Amino acid sequence: MGICASCGTEYAPLPSRARYCSNACRQRAYRRRSAGTSTVVAELPGYDDAFVGREAELAELLLLLRKHRMLTVVGPAGVGKTRLAVELARRCRRTEVRTVELGRLSRPDQVVQAFAEAVGVYQHAGVALRTTLVHELHHRRVLLLVDNCEHLVEECCEVVDALLSRCPHVQVLATSREALRSIGEAVFPLRGMGADAAKLFRERAGTGGDHHTVETICARLDGLPLAVELAARLSVPPPELADRLDHRLDLLTDAGEQVRHQSLRAAITWSHDLLTAQEKELFRRLALLPGGFGLEIAEVVHGRSVIGPLTALQAKSLVARENDGRFRMLESIRLYAEERLGEHGEREVTAERIIAWLCEKGEPGVSSSILTPGQVQAQHQEYDNVAYAFAHLVAPRDDRRLMLATMLLRVCFDRGYFAQAGAVLMQVLHQSAADARYRILALEYASLLAAHEQRHDEAVDHALEAIATAEAGGQELIMCRLYRTLAHAHEGLGDALNAARALRRSIEYGARNGNDVSVAVSSQNLGWRLLVDGDTDGAAHLVDSALPVLRVHARQDVVAIAVHTSACIALERGDLATAGAHFAESARMMAETPRAAVESIEGRGLVAMASGRHELGVRLLVACQQMRTTWVVPPEPWWRRKMAAALDLSRESLSPAAFQRALAAGRSMDARHALETALDKEIVRDAVLSDRQRVVVELVAQGLTNAQIAAKLGISHRTVESHVHNVKTTLNLSSRTQLAAWARTH
């Protein structure tokens, strides 16, 4: 038996009367719809403005709709879920699309009624409305756009599951701030608009505006369409608007919009009010972590386990989990949470918990001889939070400002921009007391900063003060590291003797305290010092013993430096295969930071030249010269001399046209191209002598001295010596007699 969709009576359905008991009922239903007595929403919502961007998302969603009968677009307040879903439904080319608007509903029992009204189903006495709804849609091919489900998720899920299980031609496209968890549901997380946000701003503002300023505004608004549109409609010049975005919750409002979207604050409030008391508590206490957070700091600010409430905040699109596993709030949502934090009087206690936890992450620098890779990574991850805590949370006279400023500079050194962080550290250092807990650490980094900025006398002074303060306080554990910093300062002054002495003291302290890793770092540094001074065997002994320890325990950038030193030792010994392999290994380790890979790229260039591939070597060295100029990274004198000699030799070995061609090619290389070229596996190949080298070998075979060869060819005596040395290295020969014998047989 069936139930008539018009009068509600039971009947035996025929193929020609699948939904109605008679033609009269069918005509009656038609007249109702035509007369407008039905509450059916037969059309999609209309908009006065153009749909902008989101083409990639639309393409992906169209594919998902072809594969799934239940698709939910989820995302935070103002991200544009409804507008995107409407545009998607408009492009679906379905015979029938019906909109089910749940945003204005307040009671669970209204959900079924909203679905029924959307598809034109009426309540009949004695029959449950859901039963009538399922029967009505059993044979209809329809896409239901169910909008704003987040406050009635369970009830909405029940209706959707009933429809999908019994109505094979029904498809559901839902929008919600959390997934419905319906059977077979595909969930599409929607984020900010990215590059399309600036296009949206200009379209809504009706003006171009400064490109950089508009992009800055959109980035700070996280690309949220609601925030971008509200900002674009303000009669405020973009530069002034950019300066006022810290107050966006008061600024971005439009009384002409729907109630939930009349302002950015109202849109977020809608989500906030759906939280439980515990979820609200965690939500507001996370507000002082603009750099994102992991579970550890979340539990610190909350004071207890956060797995449950944090999972709920993520499910409700108030917190997002990034690809690196950390959680983050959109900036607009975070500012709203910060308002709630102030209202509950919890700002000071939350700030104190965060400051204490961040300083704990920097504490190994006070007591350890060397930081582990994990400790360094933690400081990088928390950089934005440290910067925020330094600027907004810690009191001006709090000694912990020294720690926070040092952590900022430590990360900035790795990232290659340290001027601003360095100025901040020096200001705080000058304001701190002589007995401040973190003063030694700050002095150490002040020394490193001065060395970077070529203020080498100051670098030595800061390092010596740090050592004296540590000795007075009996802090032996960090002396290995402090003497290594002093050695670096002496290196900058060109004081090789004191640099070597400081490194030996560093090794003594490290060995005394059983810190093998720190000893290995100082040994590698001393090995480089010996190599530069001409003691290749002494350098090899130190580096060979240090490298295995570093490979197991040290950070990758530290290992890369030691591998580079090993490559230089092999190059000095004429072992081109080993030198080339080690330079390549070091370059690969630092591939993500080309600034740090420059010397290894140059090393590959030197190996290429020594192997007879002069044009390739010139290209690499010239490319690196440009990078060093741009980044203000001058080479060490010993390394600069080696490269200059190699370029002179290549100039002699190549024709003028070939040398100029190589120069031009090198100048056109960017950092990525230079790295890829340097890692070419064919850079070290079988011995091939250049034309100039063959001429030199033939003259050696005739018994001429280097001076006679130089006079005959019109080149310098030093260039002839380099040619003879490189040819013997390339051919693995040890004497001029062997070289002459090789020439007679080749």
Side-chain angles (χ1 to χ4, degrees):
M1 297 297 288
I3 298 175
C4 179
S6 180
C7 67
T9 61
E10 292 188 356
Y11 72 103
L14 298 174
S16 62
R17 297 202 303 268
R19 295 167 54 201
Y20 304 100
C21 64
S22 65
N23 287 332
C25 281
R26 181 181 292 106
Q27 291 298 322
R28 189 179 300 112
Y30 173 76
R31 285 194 299 272
R32 283 177 180 169
R33 291 194 295 268
S34 300
T37 57
S38 169
T39 57
V40 170
V41 182
E43 295 181 356
L44 290 167
Y47 295 92
D48 296 331
D49 47 31
F51 182 83
V52 177
R54 297 286 201 197
E55 292 301 323
E57 290 92 335
L58 282 169
E60 189 172 350
L61 284 166
L62 282 168
L63 288 175
L64 288 172
L65 268 181
R66 294 191 186 105
K67 297 177 181 178
H68 302 277
R69 293 179 59 208
M70 174 62 198
L71 173 60
T72 304
V73 179
V74 300
V79 80
K81 299 181 292 296
T82 298
R83 188 68 187 270
L84 179 64
V86 170
E87 184 66 21
L88 177 64
R90 202 182 304 281
R91 299 186 185 191
C92 281
R93 299 179 181 177
R94 298 278 178 174
T95 56
E96 188 176 14
V97 178
R98 300 292 169 128
T99 302
V100 184
E101 171 56 57
L102 304 181
R104 294 183 176 88
L105 305 187
S106 58
R107 302 195 315 272
D109 62 330
Q110 294 176 310
V111 173
V112 176
Q113 183 179 344
F115 274 83
E117 290 179 350
V119 297
V121 172
Y122 305 93
Q123 181 76 56
H124 300 297
V127 181
L129 184 56
R130 183 182 297 182
T131 303
T132 306
L133 176 65
V134 170
H135 185 270
E136 167 69 18
L137 294 179
H138 182 72
H139 296 289
R140 286 171 66 177
R141 185 176 297 276
V142 60
L143 171 66
L144 299 178
L145 195 167
V146 188
D147 196 25
N148 301 311
C149 307
E150 55 272 353
H151 60 308
L152 297 165
V153 167
E154 292 184 10
E155 296 76 16
C156 186
C157 182
E158 289 177 4
V159 176
V160 168
D161 281 346
L163 291 175
L164 294 178
S165 63
R166 301 172 193 172
C167 305
H169 303 298
V170 169
Q171 191 170 23
V172 177
L173 170 62
T175 71
S176 178
R177 298 182 192 182
E178 63 177 300
L180 271 62
R181 299 176 184 85
S182 175
I183 297 172
E185 177 185 25
V187 178
F188 184 88
L190 187 62
R191 304 189 185 280
M193 293 186 68
D196 286 337
K199 188 189 303 182
L200 177 66
F201 184 97
R202 294 189 185 92
E203 199 280 334
R204 298 296 189 256
T207 181
D210 177 67
H211 181 75
H212 176 72
T213 304
V214 170
E215 286 195 338
T216 300
I217 291 170
C218 293
R220 290 198 58 196
L221 294 175
D222 301 301
L224 288 178
L226 173 63
V228 171
E229 292 197 27
L230 292 174
R233 290 168 181 161
L234 293 173
S235 56
V236 178
E240 184 180 345
L241 176 60
D243 292 337
R244 298 171 65 184
L245 287 180
D246 284 345
H247 307 286
R248 69 189 69 179
L249 296 176
D250 295 319
L251 191 65
L252 302 182
T253 180
D254 186 347
E257 292 289 325
Q258 301 174 21
V259 175
R260 283 192 306 115
H261 288 167
Q262 68 179 356
S263 69
L264 187 58
R265 176 182 283 109
I268 301 172
T269 298
W270 170 268
S271 293
H272 176 264
D273 290 348
L274 298 175
L275 301 178
T276 66
Q278 188 179 10
E279 291 163 2
K280 288 178 180 177
E281 183 180 80
L282 175 61
F283 172 73
R284 61 180 179 262
R285 291 179 181 178
L286 295 173
L288 302 184
L289 296 169
F293 51 90
L295 288 176
E296 183 182 352
I297 181 58
E299 291 183 346
V300 168
V301 299
H302 195 44
R304 54 184 180 275
S305 176
V306 297
I307 297 295
L310 183 58
T311 301
L313 292 178
Q314 182 186 1
K316 295 172 182 177
S317 301
L318 289 170
V319 166
R321 189 166 191 175
E322 304 293 321
N323 292 333
D324 60 2
R326 287 168 64 82
F327 297 88
R328 189 180 302 274
M329 283 183 175
L330 296 180
E331 184 64 10
S332 299
I333 293 175
R334 190 192 68 78
L335 290 173
Y336 179 90
E338 192 171 357
E339 286 186 351
R340 305 285 78 75
L341 186 71
E343 288 176 0
H344 285 78
E346 297 173 348
R347 181 181 176 86
E348 288 188 11
V349 66
T350 303
E352 177 57 33
R353 290 174 179 177
I354 290 172
I355 295 168
W357 185 82
L358 290 173
C359 288
E360 182 182 326
K361 291 300 174 185
E363 191 68 26
V366 179
S367 57
S368 301
S369 187
I370 193 168
L371 298 181
T372 67
Q375 291 164 345
V376 173
Q377 182 185 20
Q379 293 193 23
H380 276 265
Q381 286 180 330
E382 301 301 333
Y383 175 82
D384 290 335
N385 289 330
V386 173
Y388 184 82
F390 182 86
H392 301 285
L393 304 184
V394 69
R397 295 299 177 184
D398 192 326
D399 285 346
R400 291 175 298 182
R401 285 171 60 83
L402 272 176
M403 169 59 85
L404 297 176
T406 304
M407 291 172 71
L408 291 176
L409 181 57
R410 198 252 165 270
V411 175
C412 287
F413 274 143
D414 287 348
R415 296 181 178 180
Y417 50 87
F418 47 81
Q420 184 176 358
V424 169
L425 174 67
M426 295 309 298
Q427 181 181 3
V428 177
L429 183 61
H430 290 320
Q431 295 172 348
S432 67
D435 60 349
R437 170 166 169 70
Y438 302 119
R439 186 172 175 82
I440 295 173
L441 184 63
L443 285 168
E444 178 187 7
Y445 276 87
S447 174
L448 294 172
L449 174 68
H452 272 287
E453 295 179 342
Q454 308 293 308
R455 295 181 284 109
H456 301 298
D457 288 327
E458 291 181 39
V460 171
D461 290 342
H462 288 314
L464 288 173
E465 183 181 351
I467 289 172
T469 307
E471 286 178 337
Q475 299 186 46
E476 271 211 5
L477 290 178
I478 61 172
M479 296 299 286
C480 177
R481 194 182 77 221
L482 295 180
Y483 269 106
R484 194 161 55 241
T485 301
L486 177 61
H488 181 65
H490 282 310
E491 285 275 7
L493 279 176
D495 188 347
L497 181 61
N498 277 321
R501 285 175 178 169
L503 286 171
R504 289 191 172 93
R505 290 296 304 277
S506 173
I507 293 170
E508 289 173 9
Y509 272 106
R512 184 186 308 168
N513 295 316
N515 195 319
D516 295 340
V517 181
S518 194
V519 168
V521 173
S522 296
S523 296
Q524 122 72 31
N525 292 357
L526 182 57
W528 176 262
R529 179 73 263 151
L530 295 180
L531 175 64
V532 170
D533 291 342
D535 185 359
T536 306
D537 291 339
H541 173 73
L542 286 169
V543 175
D544 289 347
S545 63
L547 193 51
V549 177
L550 296 176
R551 286 190 187 278
V552 175
H553 299 290
R555 303 190 314 270
Q556 184 165 279
D557 59 321
V558 176
V559 179
I561 292 171
V563 172
H564 176 271
T565 303
S566 180
C568 291
I569 293 170
L571 186 63
E572 282 295 281
R573 288 175 164 176
D575 185 353
L576 298 185
T578 300
H582 284 188
F583 280 131
E585 181 185 359
S586 178
R588 289 190 189 95
M589 288 180 177
M590 305 307 295
E592 297 304 316
T593 52
R595 179 191 182 98
V598 168
E599 285 196 352
S600 295
I601 297 173
E602 290 167 339
R604 292 284 282 179
L606 294 177
V607 171
M609 291 169 164
S611 300
R613 303 188 68 183
H614 291 282
E615 285 195 53
L616 174 58
V618 171
R619 292 205 305 270
L620 291 176
L621 263 58
V622 170
C624 289
Q625 281 180 352
Q626 291 197 144
M627 287 186 267
R628 285 185 178 277
T629 300
T630 301
W631 295 329
V632 195
V633 184
E636 293 191 32
W638 179 79
W639 191 242
R640 182 173 59 246
R641 289 194 296 271
K642 289 192 73 65
M643 290 191 292
L647 284 171
D648 288 343
L649 181 58
S650 292
R651 186 180 289 107
E652 296 288 345
S653 301
L654 296 169
S655 68
F659 188 75
Q660 290 300 319
R661 185 169 60 246
L663 288 178
R667 291 179 185 129
S668 69
M669 280 185 176
D670 59 16
R672 182 58 55 188
H673 185 195
L675 180 61
E676 291 172 353
T677 303
L679 293 178
D680 173 14
K681 293 181 180 179
E682 298 299 321
I683 204 165
V684 181
R685 65 185 187 189
D686 294 337
V688 177
L689 304 185
S690 67
D691 292 340
R692 178 55 62 92
Q693 286 175 328
R694 282 197 169 276
V695 171
V696 170
V697 170
E698 289 173 1
L699 295 176
V700 168
Q702 294 173 18
L704 273 65
T705 65
N706 287 351
Q708 292 170 329
I709 295 172
K712 187 175 183 65
L713 298 180
I715 59 179
S716 68
H717 182 271
R718 184 167 63 86
T719 299
V720 175
E721 287 181 342
S722 296
H723 277 309
V724 173
H725 171 76
N726 287 335
V727 169
K728 288 194 295 183
T729 299
T730 301
L731 301 178
N732 197 25
L733 304 175
S734 59
S735 67
R736 292 174 74 90
T737 302
Q738 290 176 333
L739 187 58
W742 182 90
R744 287 191 291 272
T745 59
H746 291 77

